[in-house]
Amino acid sequence: MGRIKHLFWTFILMVATDSSAQDGTLDTTFGNSGVVMTDFGGYLSDIKDIAVLSNGKIITAGGIFNQSGYNKFALLRYNKDGSLDNEFGADGKVINDFGGYYVNGMLQESEGKIIVATREYDYFEGIFASRSFLVQYDKNGILDSTFGVNGVIIKNTNGINSLALLPDGKILAAESYGSTALGVTHSLIRYNSNGNPDSSFGINGAVPITAIGQVALTKDGKILISSSDGNFVFTRYLNDGTLDATFGNNGTLTIDIDVDNLRFVKIQPDNKILFIGRSYHFIDSPYTISDDHYRIFRLLPNGDLDANFGENGMIVLTVSPDSALTDNAPDSIVIQSDGKIVAIGRHPYIDEYGYSLDQIGIVRYLVTGVPDVTFGENSLLLIPNDNLGGGNMSNSTCLQSDGKLVIGSTFCEAHLSCHPHTLLLRYGLGQTLTDNEFEGHKNTFSVYPNPVSQIVNLDFNLNQSEDLSIDLYDVNGRKISNLLKNKNFQSGHNSQQLDLPGTLSKGIYFLSVSDAEYTAVVKIVK
């Protein structure tokens, strides 16, 4: 069986990988060498959400439009190989024939039904306003007459910003209403499976919330609302809509870094909370931004920062061309079955004509928040646009049951303006080794003293003679220096003294020990 790179971190590492099969390669069994670009007969298109069905088929939701005012939303279903599924809608496509063209979210029910939240802005009875739509289709792409009115609920709201599906089939929606006489501008609504408000939740199915944001569910059925108002704000509710007093301060948690903007939230299987945020502050005027950083945070289930993740519960993505995702930074997170964290977003680059464009970047971390240096180039994989031209940005991602990553992207082929098109890409992220495969390699590594000063000792056991190289990395996955190059060690117990660079500042670092086939990483603190 061919092996792929796999890294398991603790204070002593035992790792098995194979350099012959690299993580992060396009899946050539999907579309045209891993890429699917869908044509809408000359119309422009984008993609806003994506889901993988239990049978491996892929659903996407997005808009189709032109510059003359034509605006619709569309659902597409693809087969496993990336071809359009002719059993869904018309030749794999469902294009709505009513209002609502901007997609805010999509849910996939267990019976194959699809729920989509959309909104539109237009003139209604002489007033420019917005309307929201909650739409349900059956598994074949036909409007479900058992939901709302002929499959549609129309609401005079500013938008349904986020959706979540409960195990019993009920639907949670975070909705914005603008100003009201009661001063309630945002609500969390719970709908029954037929589209009627659930009267057992809050007051007549609604719970007032202070800010519109993302809805996520914990494994024990609690509801997390995440938003930003200059700070990161999280509120958690029990199943009946009352505040969860075990979270934060009587149900609410505020994190103040600087001027803070929330981008994405993901709840892990152990109920820890991962989220992406951007923090910055203004200097001289409200138009000059300084100290602009993206961060990935992890909170414990009670809302405390997880001290075992990154540095004090966060990873700071520094703005540097050779570090992890920078500038436009990550937009979404998926969690592999082995607990590794994959962040996907936009990475700026300059093309051959000197234009500043975006390309998709993927960065992978270990469960502890340490950059996985066995992935891509020092934990970062950039998806080149060489064969496409123009800019490419990730809008939505999901992980298949086989561990492959599907990216829904909006692609712009023009340099000076964007004429967007829908693009799907599928990548292999690597396969976790089984326990039997893992047990075949008993190499162990430990360091002392730790924390270190200038000299560090590395003790290890080898089950066969190996030529080893040792590199030093910082917490952002940047290679600092090579400490040892292709030195031969015999099987059995070995010890190697390493001299760290004299200019090394205090902090967390990693020793990457590798031969031609395997890699191990050991954490050190200076």
Side-chain angles (χ1 to χ4, degrees):
M1 173 182 176
R3 300 183 186 276
I4 56 165
K5 289 186 176 179
H6 173 73
L7 186 151
F8 176 83
W9 178 89
T10 181
F11 289 104
I12 296 176
L13 280 161
M14 296 179 289
V15 182
T17 63
D18 185 355
S19 60
S20 64
Q22 297 180 357
D23 293 351
T25 55
L26 276 167
D27 178 7
T28 57
T29 67
F30 184 74
N32 182 11
S33 300
V35 179
V36 172
M37 186 178 290
T38 303
D39 178 62
F40 287 92
Y43 287 103
L44 307 178
S45 64
D46 62 19
I47 185 167
K48 295 297 183 182
D49 211 345
I50 187 170
V52 176
L53 310 184
S54 58
N55 60 7
K57 295 183 179 183
I58 300 166
I59 292 273
T60 67
I64 56 173
F65 46 90
N66 62 18
Q67 296 177 348
S68 300
Y70 178 89
N71 289 290
K72 300 287 185 181
F73 82 80
L75 296 178
L76 286 79
R77 192 166 76 189
Y78 299 87
N79 295 310
K80 293 180 182 180
D81 62 1
S83 61
L84 284 168
D85 181 4
N86 292 329
E87 296 180 356
F88 182 78
D91 298 323
K93 302 175 184 178
V94 172
I95 300 174
N96 75 318
D97 57 359
F98 52 88
Y101 53 83
Y102 189 90
V103 175
N104 285 82
M106 177 178 64
L107 298 173
Q108 176 65 41
E109 293 191 83
S110 58
E111 297 178 355
K113 294 181 179 181
I114 304 158
I115 302 166
V116 185
T118 71
R119 73 175 186 267
E120 68 175 356
Y121 300 96
D122 210 336
Y123 283 95
F124 305 106
E125 299 178 356
I127 300 174
F128 187 78
S130 64
R131 295 192 300 175
S132 299
F133 299 79
L134 197 58
V135 189
Q136 182 163 289
Y137 296 88
D138 67 16
K139 63 180 181 180
N140 298 314
I142 299 172
L143 285 169
D144 182 4
S145 61
T146 67
F147 182 83
V149 178
N150 296 322
V152 182
I153 298 172
I154 302 176
K155 308 195 74 173
N156 294 320
T157 66
N158 287 352
I160 300 173
N161 281 47
S162 184
L163 295 173
L165 186 66
L166 296 168
D168 60 3
K170 294 180 180 180
I171 304 159
L172 283 169
E175 303 184 12
S176 176
Y177 291 88
S179 299
T180 68
L182 298 177
V184 178
T185 58
H186 313 292
S187 292
L188 180 64
I189 312 292
R190 190 164 77 189
Y191 296 93
N192 292 314
S193 58
N194 62 1
N196 293 330
D198 178 7
S199 59
S200 66
F201 182 76
I203 300 174
N204 297 323
V207 172
I209 54 179
T210 57
I212 200 71
Q214 299 183 40
V215 183
L217 300 176
T218 65
K219 298 304 177 184
D220 52 0
K222 295 177 180 179
I223 305 162
L224 184 72
I225 302 292
S226 310
S227 61
S228 50
D229 60 359
N231 299 318
F232 301 119
V233 182
F234 301 87
T235 308
R236 196 165 71 190
Y237 298 89
L238 302 176
N239 187 53
D240 62 358
T242 58
L243 286 167
D244 178 9
T246 67
F247 180 78
N249 183 11
N250 293 319
T252 299
L253 171 70
T254 299
I255 299 176
D256 181 8
I257 303 295
D258 213 321
V259 179
D260 303 313
N261 180 261
L262 187 78
R263 294 178 68 87
F264 186 84
V265 178
K266 182 80 170 182
I267 297 182
Q268 295 186 169
D270 58 2
N271 283 333
K272 292 181 180 179
I273 303 162
L274 281 167
F275 71 94
I276 300 169
R278 178 190 179 194
S279 300
Y280 57 90
H281 66 258
F282 295 106
I283 56 174
D284 300 330
S285 76
Y287 307 106
T288 304
I289 291 177
S290 176
D291 195 26
D292 190 359
H293 286 93
Y294 289 86
R295 291 173 169 89
I296 299 177
F297 299 79
R298 189 164 73 193
L299 306 177
L300 298 174
N302 67 355
D304 293 340
L305 284 166
D306 184 355
N308 294 318
F309 181 77
E311 291 192 74
N312 301 317
M314 70 181 79
I315 305 167
V316 179
L317 305 181
T318 56
V319 181
S320 171
D322 59 353
S323 69
L325 296 182
T326 65
D327 292 340
N328 290 321
D331 297 306
S332 60
I333 290 174
V334 297
I335 301 173
Q336 295 184 191
S337 60
D338 58 3
K340 291 182 180 181
I341 300 160
V342 181
I344 306 96
R346 288 175 284 178
H347 188 100
Y349 79 105
I350 305 297
D351 74 357
E352 60 182 315
Y353 303 104
Y355 294 105
S356 178
L357 300 170
D358 287 324
Q359 63 188 132
I360 296 173
I362 306 172
V363 63
R364 189 165 74 184
Y365 298 91
L366 306 183
V367 68
T368 55
V370 175
D372 183 356
V373 297
T374 69
F375 181 77
E377 184 69 26
N378 295 338
S379 80
L380 174 66
L381 173 69
L382 296 177
I383 299 176
N385 295 350
D386 297 347
N387 297 328
L388 302 172
N392 196 7
M393 61 195 75
S394 165
N395 286 9
S396 184
T397 55
C398 60
L399 205 59
Q400 296 186 166
S401 59
D402 60 3
K404 293 178 181 178
L405 177 69
V406 181
I407 300 175
S409 171
T410 297
F411 163 71
C412 297
E413 83 282 3
H415 289 93
L416 298 178
S417 62
C418 182
H419 300 93
H421 300 284
T422 295
L423 190 70
L424 282 181
L425 306 101
R426 191 163 71 189
Y427 276 80
L429 290 181
Q431 173 187 343
T432 304
L433 299 180
T434 66
D435 290 339
N436 289 336
E437 292 172 318
F438 185 82
E439 287 296 318
H441 303 276
K442 297 288 187 178
N443 306 333
T444 63
F445 298 84
S446 61
V447 294
Y448 66 91
N450 199 8
V452 305
S453 179
Q454 186 68 35
I455 302 296
V456 61
N457 298 289
L458 180 69
D459 282 2
F460 51 97
N461 293 303
L462 298 176
N463 55 13
Q464 64 185 30
S465 176
E466 299 281 3
D467 291 335
L468 298 182
S469 296
I470 302 175
D471 295 314
L472 180 67
Y473 289 85
D474 69 9
V475 73
N476 291 312
R478 290 189 296 252
K479 182 177 176 180
I480 297 174
S481 65
N482 172 255
L483 303 179
L484 192 70
K485 185 70 172 179
N486 292 333
K487 180 177 177 179
N488 182 262
F489 294 92
Q490 299 303 306
S491 62
H493 179 76
N494 291 272
S495 184
Q496 176 66 42
Q497 190 175 84
L498 301 169
D499 189 7
L500 301 180
T503 58
L504 203 63
S505 59
K506 291 184 178 180
I508 298 174
Y509 298 91
F510 302 91
L511 299 174
S512 174
V513 185
S514 61
D515 62 7
E517 190 175 6
Y518 304 109
T519 300
V521 176
V522 182
K523 177 182 178 181
I524 60 173
V525 179
K526 189 175 188 301

